[in-house]
């Protein structure tokens, strides 16, 4: 790989940081200097800890902090390093490499024209679905598909319940839903109440993360859940955020609602329920959100995804296989078999099924599949 600049693509939860730690260890054994780039504190801490577990000492470069600059391995914040003197590196590893088209990344990578580059991401494409061509990487290496990792027991396949949402009044800006209109549409008493009702019906008592459409939406959802829930967003002080997430891990709170925080760089394998209350046209954001629920943990039951945002209807299941390209728009694999839904239990079945695999109800060819369900209920997908 020293002559190439590949993007290593593997699903969320598949252990990309561990793979990187092995590569970095091998590089240091051969006398190479390594720079690991990340854009969030949680990712930087995670990489530093994982390297330590693999016997690699590393320095850290973050705002207000630079430890052990003499070490051959440096873990650096993109936002901080772009304003500092760059450390020497023979190998540059870019975490969450789908951000690599940003000017900060491009500036840093331009400092290392003779180094090998390796990108890490579960979603190697931009918001509009186009590839990452032009940012310096020259191939994609797909390590494993979600279905393969599920078969091997490294990920868990969720159950899905869906509820339709009417987004006809929400316009599109730069390939994504208009933020203000989306928040106004989603943050109504009826929809917020439905989230709570359906959680009580399907997931009561299980550790839950909820993805909201705005800060106020997240706060309103947490308020409706009561003492069992807590809210965090980008303005939540770090010590308070860490305290709330620790309470979720320990079970002191059952639900954490958030806006724009827990989509990258954070994992809690014991969390068993994901509530999607944030519609998005970005397949990447959807996969980053929902992929984290699939991590296995001791005693963890089959995870649940409660989709109040129409994400599954828009993007399909997170286990669908995708063909990636650096230049072309992504596309679902041609090997995915069409599906249909049982009217009796709302389970997903192969299109060729004569009877439902879950409840045994007979499919009648002349009947059309029902497209919508009342907001009063979630239907299993």
């Amino acid at each position: 790989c020293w002559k190439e600049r590949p993007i290593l693509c593997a699903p969320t939860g598949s252990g990309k940081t561990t793979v990187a730690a092995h590569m970095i260890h091998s590089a240091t054994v051969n006398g190479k200097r390594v720079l690991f780039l990340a854009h969030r504190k949680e990712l930087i801490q995670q990489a530093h800890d994982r390297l330590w577990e693999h016997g690699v000492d590393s320095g850290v470069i973050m705002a207000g902090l630079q430890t052990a600059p003499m070490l051959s391995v440096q873990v650096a914040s993109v936002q901080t390093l772009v304003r500092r003197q760059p450390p020497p590196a023979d190998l540059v590893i870019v975490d969450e490499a789908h951000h690599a088209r940003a000017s900060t990344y491009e500036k840093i990578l331009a400092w290392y024209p003779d180094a090998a580059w390796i990108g890490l991401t579960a979603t190697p494409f931009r918001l509009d679905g186009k590839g990452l061509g032009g940012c310096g990487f020259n191939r994609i290496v797909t390590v494993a598909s979600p279905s393969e990792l599920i078969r091997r027991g490294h990920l868990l396949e969720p159950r899905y319940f869906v509820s339709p949402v009417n987004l006809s009044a929400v316009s599109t800006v730069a390939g994504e839903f208009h933020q203000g209109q989306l928040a106004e549409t989603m943050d109504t008493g009826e929809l917020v109440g439905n989230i709570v009702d359906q959680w009580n019906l399907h997931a009561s008592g299980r550790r839950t993360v909820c993805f909201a459409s705005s800060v106020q939406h997240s706060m309103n959802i947490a308020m409706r859940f009561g003492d069992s829930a807590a809210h965090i967003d980008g303005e939540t002080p770090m010590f308070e955020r860490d305290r709330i997430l620790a309470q979720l891990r320990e079970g002191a709170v059952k639900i954490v609602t958030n806006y724009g925080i827990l989509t990258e760089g954070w994992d809690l394998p014991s969390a068993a329920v994901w509530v999607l209350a944030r519609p998005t046209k970005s397949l990447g954001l959807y996969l980053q959100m929902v992929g984290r629920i699939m991590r296995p943990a001791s005693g963890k039951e089959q995870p649940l995804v409660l989709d109040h945002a129409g994400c599954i209807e828009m993007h399909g299941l997170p286990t669908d296989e995708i063909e990636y390209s650096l230049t072309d728009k992504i596309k679902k694999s041609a090997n995915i078999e069409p599906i249909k839904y049982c009217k009796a239990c709302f389970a997903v079945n192969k299109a060729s099924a004569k009877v439902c695999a879950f409840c045994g109800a007979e499919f009648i060819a002349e009947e059309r599949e029902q497209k919508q369900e009342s907001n009063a209920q979630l239907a299993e997908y």
Side-chain angles (χ1 to χ4, degrees):
C1 69
W2 295 102
K3 294 182 180 180
E4 296 188 0
R5 290 176 171 171
I7 290 179
L8 185 153
C9 176
T12 300
S14 60
K16 292 183 289 296
T17 307
T18 299
V19 173
H22 280 285
M23 291 191 292
I24 292 171
H25 181 270
S26 297
T28 57
V29 167
N30 288 291
K32 303 298 183 180
R33 298 162 297 183
V34 182
L35 173 64
F36 186 99
L37 293 173
H39 72 296
R40 286 190 174 180
K41 173 197 169 186
E42 295 87 351
L43 295 170
I44 293 167
Q45 186 65 53
Q46 176 180 282
H48 177 74
D49 293 346
R50 198 63 48 84
L51 287 169
W52 177 263
E53 293 170 4
H54 286 78
V56 177
D57 291 331
S58 60
V60 174
I61 303 172
M62 285 180 21
L65 176 68
Q66 182 162 355
T67 66
M70 75 295 296
L71 293 176
S72 62
V73 178
Q74 297 292 315
V75 180
S77 160
V78 171
Q79 296 90 334
T80 301
L81 184 60
V82 75
R83 300 190 299 270
R84 293 192 182 179
Q85 183 69 24
D90 304 296
L91 170 63
V92 179
I93 295 182
V94 182
D95 201 12
E96 306 293 354
H98 49 278
H99 295 295
R101 292 301 302 268
S103 59
T104 49
Y105 286 81
E106 291 182 341
K107 181 176 180 180
I108 292 172
L109 290 172
W111 294 339
Y112 300 96
D114 299 321
W117 303 352
I118 297 177
L120 309 175
T121 182
T123 53
F125 48 85
R126 305 184 308 189
L127 173 63
D128 59 7
K130 293 183 179 179
L132 295 175
C135 63
F137 295 100
N138 55 24
R139 64 183 293 222
I140 294 177
V141 178
T142 301
V143 178
S145 67
S147 57
E148 180 183 354
L149 293 174
I150 289 171
R151 287 195 300 270
R152 294 185 177 188
H154 299 302
L155 295 177
L156 299 177
E157 186 165 20
R159 292 175 65 193
Y160 306 95
F161 291 85
V162 297
S163 181
V165 58
N166 185 355
L167 300 174
S168 60
V170 183
S171 60
T172 299
V173 178
E176 182 57 294
F177 289 115
H178 185 282
Q179 178 57 41
Q181 295 174 3
L182 182 65
E184 183 178 355
T185 298
M186 296 299 296
D187 194 11
T188 68
E190 181 181 357
L191 292 181
V192 171
N194 190 41
I195 288 171
V196 177
D197 292 343
Q198 296 305 311
W199 184 86
N200 285 327
L201 177 63
H202 297 290
S204 181
R206 302 179 71 182
R207 286 185 181 89
T208 300
V209 172
C210 177
F211 298 90
S213 297
S214 69
V215 171
Q216 189 62 51
H217 187 213
S218 177
M219 295 172 66
N220 290 343
I221 294 171
M223 187 180 305
R224 184 68 70 94
F225 272 110
D227 294 338
S228 62
H231 152 85
I232 59 176
D233 60 62
E235 299 300 318
T236 304
M238 189 60 67
F239 73 88
E240 177 70 5
R241 185 194 308 180
D242 292 343
R243 182 186 69 81
I244 290 172
L245 294 176
Q247 288 181 323
L248 179 65
R249 183 171 59 251
E250 296 160 3
V253 299
K254 294 299 183 184
I255 305 116
V256 168
T257 69
N258 81 103
Y259 175 67
I261 293 296
L262 303 181
T263 54
E264 294 178 343
W266 175 81
D267 292 297
L268 181 61
S270 61
V273 182
W274 254 218
V275 176
L276 302 182
R278 180 181 180 177
T280 178
K281 291 194 172 185
S282 168
L283 174 62
L285 177 57
Y286 163 63
L287 293 176
Q288 290 286 347
M289 287 192 295
V290 77
R292 299 175 190 282
I293 193 63
M294 300 167 68
R295 285 184 180 273
S298 177
K300 183 174 179 177
E301 302 175 25
Q302 186 176 18
L304 298 179
V305 175
L306 308 183
D307 181 11
H308 294 264
C311 289
I312 293 173
E313 189 71 22
M314 191 180 307
H315 300 296
L317 299 178
T319 52
D320 290 346
E321 294 190 12
I322 300 173
E323 297 177 14
Y324 297 112
S325 169
L326 284 173
T327 56
D328 299 328
K329 280 201 170 190
I330 60 171
K331 57 183 178 180
K332 296 293 182 72
S333 171
N335 296 324
I336 297 174
E337 184 170 349
I339 56 177
K340 61 183 177 183
Y341 314 106
C342 174
K343 293 182 180 180
C345 70
F346 302 104
V348 62
N349 286 260
K350 293 181 179 180
S352 57
K354 302 298 183 183
V355 298
C356 176
F358 295 87
C359 72
E362 183 179 0
F363 288 108
I364 301 175
E366 291 78 15
E367 292 185 0
R368 294 182 179 272
E369 294 296 327
Q370 189 171 346
K371 295 297 184 181
Q372 294 187 346
E373 295 296 324
S374 166
N375 276 336
Q377 296 293 327
L378 282 167
E380 185 164 8
Y381 196 88

